[in-house]
Amino acid sequence: MRVLITGSSGQIGTNLGIALVSSGHDVIGIDVRPNSWTTAFPTVRADLTTDAQPGDGVIGGAKVGTVDAIVHLAAHAKVHALVERPRGAFENHAMVTNALEFARMNSVPIILASSREVYGNLGRRENPVSETEADFRSSPSPYAAMKLASEALASSYFRCYGLPYSIIRFSNVYGRYDDDLSRLERAIWVFNDMIKSGRPVTVFGAEKTLDFTYIDDAVDGLVRCLTRLVDGDPEVRASTFNLAHGTGHSLIGVVNLIAMTRNLQPDIRVESSRPGEVTWYVADITRARDALGYQPQTPVTTGIPRAITEAMSRGS
Ligand SMILES: NC(=O)c1ccc[n+]([C@@H]2O[C@H](COP(=O)([O-])OP(=O)(O)OC[C@H]3O[C@@H](n4cnc5c(N)ncnc54)[C@H](O)[C@@H]3O)[C@@H](O)[C@H]2O)c1
């Protein structure tokens, strides 16, 4: 199949594009930035917030041709940055609108990237969080609010136009093509940078516990969902999936794993969580297991040492 990936120069887009190409599919990427990680697939440069109306094989004013599906990943993905500049969340929603319009006009199924942020702060608890627990009244940040609005818009396209879609709620995806610290401040790489340079490691939230997803697991779940959606599987159409590992890890534990891999002793300083941050999340991945056959392979105890060792071999 030929797949249009938006946000294809980003972390998940790059990894997904490479995985699809290596299994014989054709990929066309679209992003406002060139891809600095790979030349495995072409990237059309375009701004998806544009008002230019999508049309026959056209999105963001750029020609991408005929595709079998679109995976919409493009977004401003820094949650805290959108607390400071909420207009960025509105731009995310504009991109989703353009992606959905492209899917409608070209009659192709669409996967939308959402986030565990949509659950808000449910607080520390016994049970993992299932897909039905998202509620717009608990939106912790403009980023989360607009992800929920985008999910609602996709659902309306299904009802009004019969557009097949799936929503994937990612959670702290890490592991490859994500250590461009000058652009994004992913927790693992921020910690890694502090540890290797001997600076104190600031952790926002002593109790903060999150569900970290190794990139190959995230891509595996995404590809499983994509192939089923394109094949018209009714279990996947108009469905929402948590894709995560399904276990929680404290940020302090993550810092210790990174330091252990580097054979260094971290100087950890704990501060309060920042406004808009989720402080506890463990995903219930039962639905993804049942409908997609998703079975994550890499816990943080393996994934973080692997990611850090790979980064060290690149001199990072
Ligand atoms: N990585 C995670 O842990 C995680 C967790 C939850 C949700 N998500 C969601 O998954 C998706 C992909 O995340 P990612 O980690 O690959 O993010 P990323 O920032 O690495 O990639 C997003 C890409 O979108 C592009 N983009 C931004 N504005 C654009 C515009 N106006 N026009 C065209 N392209 C534009 C960026 O240039 C970037 O390459 C995002 O929607 C994000 O919100 C990611």
Side-chain angles (χ1 to χ4, degrees):
M1 63 185 161
R2 185 165 190 262
V3 181
L4 170 61
I5 302 177
T6 74
S8 56
S9 301
Q11 179 208 16
I12 298 175
T14 300
N15 283 284
L16 173 66
I18 291 171
L20 287 172
V21 167
S22 25
S23 47
H25 299 292
D26 194 8
V27 169
I28 175 91
I30 191 162
D31 202 297
V32 76
R33 304 177 301 123
N35 195 310
S36 59
W37 307 105
T38 185
T39 53
F41 53 85
T43 305
V44 176
R45 299 273 299 280
D47 183 347
L48 292 172
T49 61
T50 176
D51 285 340
Q53 183 70 348
D56 190 8
V58 173
I59 182 170
K63 188 96 188 142
V64 292
T66 305
V67 295
D68 299 297
I70 167 170
V71 180
H72 178 64
L73 302 169
H76 302 293
K78 288 162 85 168
V79 178
H80 192 67
L82 299 194
V83 174
E84 289 166 350
R85 193 182 75 86
R87 180 146 193 103
F90 173 76
E91 290 164 8
N92 283 351
H93 193 59
M95 290 188 232
V96 169
T97 305
N98 278 331
L100 283 167
E101 276 294 88
F102 176 87
R104 180 174 77 88
M105 289 179 173
N106 293 274
S107 302
V108 291
I110 181 167
I111 292 185
L112 289 184
S114 188
S115 168
R116 53 117 169 117
E117 296 285 330
V118 298
Y119 299 112
N121 258 321
L122 296 170
R124 183 170 283 279
R125 47 189 249 181
E126 293 299 313
N127 301 323
V129 182
S130 72
E131 287 84 351
T132 54
E133 294 186 62
D135 181 340
F136 70 90
R137 288 166 298 189
S138 322
S139 287
S141 64
Y143 170 90
M146 282 303 180
K147 284 291 189 195
L148 272 174
S150 299
E151 293 190 14
L153 193 62
S155 172
S156 78
Y157 268 60
F158 177 67
R159 289 193 170 73
C160 292
Y161 316 115
L163 181 73
Y165 77 94
S166 302
I167 305 285
I168 301 285
R169 292 179 180 155
F170 293 109
S171 175
N172 289 83
V173 183
Y174 71 95
R176 200 179 310 114
Y177 310 136
D178 56 348
D179 59 347
D180 44 349
L181 265 180
S182 55
R183 185 180 74 89
L184 277 183
E185 293 169 344
R186 307 275 160 127
I188 288 173
W189 298 112
V190 172
F191 294 151
N192 177 59
D193 198 50
M194 292 167 169
I195 291 166
K196 77 174 184 191
S197 59
R199 284 178 284 140
V201 182
T202 309
V203 173
F204 294 100
E207 296 297 308
K208 197 183 281 168
T209 296
L210 299 173
D211 197 334
F212 289 85
T213 318
Y214 188 65
I215 182 66
D216 290 348
D217 288 332
V219 167
D220 174 66
L222 198 44
V223 172
R224 285 171 181 274
C225 185
L226 177 64
T227 47
R228 283 163 175 76
L229 187 65
V230 170
D231 287 347
D233 182 344
E235 275 210 74
V236 167
R237 193 170 50 227
S239 292
T240 301
F241 298 101
N242 289 338
L243 278 193
H245 188 265
T247 53
H249 291 274
S250 73
L251 288 195
I252 292 175
V254 165
V255 170
N256 285 326
L257 266 172
I258 297 168
M260 200 179 68
T261 310
R262 299 199 78 104
N263 207 13
L264 292 170
Q265 190 61 39
D267 173 11
I268 300 175
R269 315 268 169 97
V270 178
E271 291 188 16
S272 312
S273 291
R274 296 176 297 179
E277 288 185 331
V278 168
T279 55
W280 188 93
Y281 175 72
V282 179
D284 181 343
I285 56 172
T286 309
R287 191 185 282 179
R289 278 191 212 278
D290 292 350
L292 309 178
Y294 172 68
Q295 182 64 56
Q297 302 293 314
T298 310
V300 288
T301 45
T302 311
I304 288 181
R306 187 184 299 162
I308 298 298
T309 304
E310 283 173 9
M312 286 166 73
S313 70
R314 291 194 309 271
S316 179

